[in-house]
Amino acid sequence: MIIDVYTFPGFLKEISQDEERIAFRREQYFLLKQHVWPLSLFVTQMNAAGIDKSIISAEDVTTKAGDTIVSNEEVKLLVDLEPDRLIGFASVDPNREDAIEVLEDAFSNLKLSGLKLSPAMQRFYPMDEKAQQLYEVCIKYNKPIIFEAGMTWIKDSPTKYSNPLLFEDVAIKYPDLRFSLGHFGWPWVREVAMLLLKYPNVYADTALLYFDSPKQFFNTEFNNTLGEFWIDRMLYNKVMFGSTYPRIEQKRMVGAVNSLTLRDEQRRMVMGENALRFLGMEE
Amino acid sequence: MVKHYEFFVMTNDEYDTAYIGDIVKEYVKESGVKNGIVSVITAHTSCGILVTEPLDCILSDLKDLLTEFIPEDAEYSHAHFLHTYGRTSANSYGHLRSIFTGNHTLVSLVDGSLAMGAAQEIVFMEFDGPQQRKVYVDIIGE
């Protein structure tokens, strides 16, 4: 079972019928030349990469830009079209006055599987009181959170909000909240390794690509910045496969993880089993 | 007279091939043009169009040649973030294979039929799939 925990569905044809909305997405998500293509092609691309399931996430920037980039309802629509291949995560702008109601609706009515938050893009600090109210909703529904941590390519999104060390207080105050630090918190990968080592409820994903080809960049970050055997020997149950699709092709990120030093059992955990536990879907 | 048509090829794997001669023939029939030239051009830069004999062994040999000649894991310069796209390029080998095969073919049109040898077929070559690829067919003649 291979699960990609970090994908963006905003240019799938089934939710991209309106040219103005497509242009808004290109600008807000900083994917300036992204083509629209059908969900069936995404499934074919997953098949070619050997990926069984992908987490697709909404993105809510209502208070900053006046709209969602992808709404919770659009994520729900896509999941309903491919329920065996897609796992839907909600997004809520913590600065919305109705944030708690929107999240309650996403979990109770839309049946989405978790929450995606981007502190830099949505402009909040991880221990902001408004964000903490959302964490409590997630605990109530036993839903995990994927934070976009470290650097985001998205414009007008200061990294001061998403330094991984800011999430340590969240891990301490909410030990029952499972959350993942997206992009392995790059460039603070050593700090993220510390958080993974210390806090049972903290996960991270491999959706990091900032220089070079995926294999070269993974060699730099996972074999040099971190120790070559750190994931294999210690962090194997805390790291999940993620790609940042469509910012890069999933097949290339699978190839990059396959180039890392991992024993078979540890590789299975990184590629999918950890995600199942994170999602609360472990049998 | 010039008639312009477009169609999509949906590819299924990173390296893939598709015979597209029959699609082109349908457009020729539809156009009503009897004599001239037909161009078949892909709109992309990491796939190709060529003419060869439609045999699996030839396509297999071509794949082996391209893979050896233009490997995936060489130290390509085109492996970095593109600010004009908002995404990372890591598909230089796809571009280079496309340059190697070319992005188009031309076929003569005589008495309403493509003037092709019995062993010739138009082949779409995918080098960075799976993708939805656009192909232009222009029929120029009278």
Side-chain angles (χ1 to χ4, degrees):
Chain A
M1 170 73 72
I2 297 181
I3 300 175
D4 184 345
V5 303
Y6 208 105
T7 74
F8 175 72
F11 296 95
L12 296 177
K13 186 177 177 183
E14 287 76 1
I15 61 166
S16 301
Q17 306 296 330
D18 180 79
E19 287 299 326
E20 279 188 23
R21 188 146 175 77
I22 295 168
F24 179 79
R25 284 177 180 155
R26 287 193 176 120
E27 180 67 26
Q28 290 296 322
Y29 208 70
F30 188 47
L31 271 166
L32 302 178
K33 297 184 181 181
Q34 182 64 39
H35 294 296
V36 170
W37 56 56
L39 175 58
S40 60
L41 178 57
F42 181 29
V43 171
T44 302
Q45 290 169 334
M46 288 170 59
N47 292 342
I51 293 170
D52 298 288
K53 296 176 185 287
S54 291
I55 291 178
I56 57 170
S57 299
E59 300 287 351
D60 185 353
V61 288
T62 300
T63 60
K64 181 174 125 182
D67 202 351
T68 60
I69 302 174
V70 173
S71 72
N72 296 337
E73 288 76 12
E74 288 170 323
V75 166
K76 164 72 171 167
L77 185 155
L78 293 169
V79 171
D80 285 348
L81 290 171
E82 287 288 350
D84 294 333
R85 307 300 299 272
L86 301 179
I87 299 166
F89 266 47
S91 174
V92 181
D93 181 345
N95 294 310
R96 288 175 67 145
E97 289 188 5
D98 60 350
I100 294 174
E101 295 163 42
V102 172
L103 187 56
E104 291 264 6
D105 179 66
F107 290 156
S108 61
N109 294 326
L110 302 179
K111 306 296 183 188
L112 297 182
S113 300
L115 174 64
K116 165 84 182 296
L117 291 172
S118 178
M121 183 172 68
Q122 295 170 318
R123 290 179 172 256
F124 71 91
Y125 286 100
M127 282 300 282
D128 186 306
E129 181 60 34
K130 290 174 293 221
Q132 290 191 50
Q133 292 178 340
L134 299 180
Y135 306 158
E136 287 165 7
V137 174
C138 288
I139 292 169
K140 174 182 161 187
Y141 284 88
N142 189 29
K143 303 289 188 183
I145 298 176
I146 295 173
F147 288 107
E148 183 164 35
M151 176 184 158
T152 172
W153 288 111
I154 294 165
K155 303 293 186 188
D156 198 21
S157 302
T159 311
K160 67 180 181 181
Y161 294 107
S162 53
N163 184 318
L165 290 180
L166 297 173
F167 297 93
E168 185 167 20
D169 285 335
V170 179
I172 292 169
K173 185 170 180 180
Y174 299 101
D176 295 329
L177 176 67
R178 298 184 304 283
F179 67 87
S180 174
L181 298 173
H183 312 316
F184 218 94
W186 193 89
W188 292 280
V189 294
R190 291 176 73 91
E191 285 80 354
V192 168
M194 176 276 287
L195 294 170
L196 297 178
L197 194 59
K198 187 170 181 181
Y199 299 100
N201 55 331
V202 180
Y203 293 71
D205 66 47
T206 66
L208 68 161
L209 180 58
Y210 294 89
F211 292 98
D212 304 326
S213 70
K215 285 180 185 173
Q216 289 170 325
F217 190 65
F218 275 33
N219 182 53
T220 298
E221 296 301 330
F222 291 115
N223 294 338
N224 294 291
T225 307
L226 305 181
E228 179 180 350
F229 301 98
W230 288 11
I231 296 177
D232 182 66
R233 291 173 180 165
M234 200 68 207
L235 305 178
Y236 55 84
N237 61 346
K238 307 298 289 296
V239 177
M240 303 183 290
F241 171 69
S243 71
T244 70
Y245 171 97
R247 240 179 256 289
I248 185 71
E249 294 79 8
Q250 291 173 305
K251 64 192 177 191
R252 296 198 166 93
M253 297 301 272
V254 169
V257 175
N258 285 340
S259 72
L260 298 178
T261 303
L262 291 169
R263 284 167 290 173
D264 289 346
E265 186 177 348
Q266 278 74 354
R267 189 176 305 282
R268 282 196 299 274
M269 296 176 81
V270 168
M271 296 308 287
E273 292 174 11
N274 294 338
L276 289 176
R277 185 177 353 101
F278 176 72
L279 290 161
M281 296 167 63
E282 197 175 49
E283 292 179 359
Chain B
M1 187 192 322
V2 178
K3 291 281 187 175
H4 176 81
Y5 300 94
E6 300 177 9
F7 66 95
F8 288 103
V9 177
M10 301 292 286
T11 58
N12 293 306
D13 213 337
E14 171 153 48
Y15 188 105
D16 201 3
T17 58
Y19 298 129
I20 59 174
D22 286 346
I23 300 171
V24 176
K25 288 174 188 169
E26 284 298 315
Y27 288 130
V28 167
K29 197 184 300 180
E30 186 181 325
S31 74
V33 179
K34 297 300 180 189
N35 293 287
I37 199 110
V38 178
S39 72
V40 186
I41 308 171
T42 173
H44 310 279
T45 58
S46 57
C47 52
I49 290 175
L50 51 79
V51 171
T52 190
E53 188 163 10
L55 294 173
D56 289 347
C57 50
I58 291 177
L59 294 179
S60 172
D61 286 343
L62 177 60
K63 182 177 183 179
D64 289 346
L65 173 70
L66 288 172
T67 302
E68 183 179 349
F69 189 55
I70 307 170
E72 285 186 22
D73 288 332
E75 298 291 334
Y76 297 111
S77 175
H78 183 65
H80 58 88
F81 191 77
L82 296 168
H83 286 277
T84 52
Y85 283 74
R87 49 172 287 141
T88 299
S89 65
N91 63 344
S92 195
Y93 58 94
H95 289 297
L96 296 179
R97 290 172 187 174
S98 171
I99 292 167
F100 191 78
T101 60
N103 75 333
H104 68 280
T105 193
L106 292 173
V107 183
S108 292
L109 176 60
V110 179
D111 293 333
S113 297
L114 295 180
M116 299 180 71
Q120 288 186 312
E121 168 64 282
I122 304 171
V123 187
F124 181 89
M125 305 293 300
E126 174 63 82
F127 302 125
D128 190 22
Q131 291 284 351
Q132 175 179 265
R133 301 298 203 175
K134 185 183 283 186
V135 176
Y136 301 124
V137 178
D138 288 284
I139 304 167
I140 306 156
E142 54 189 16

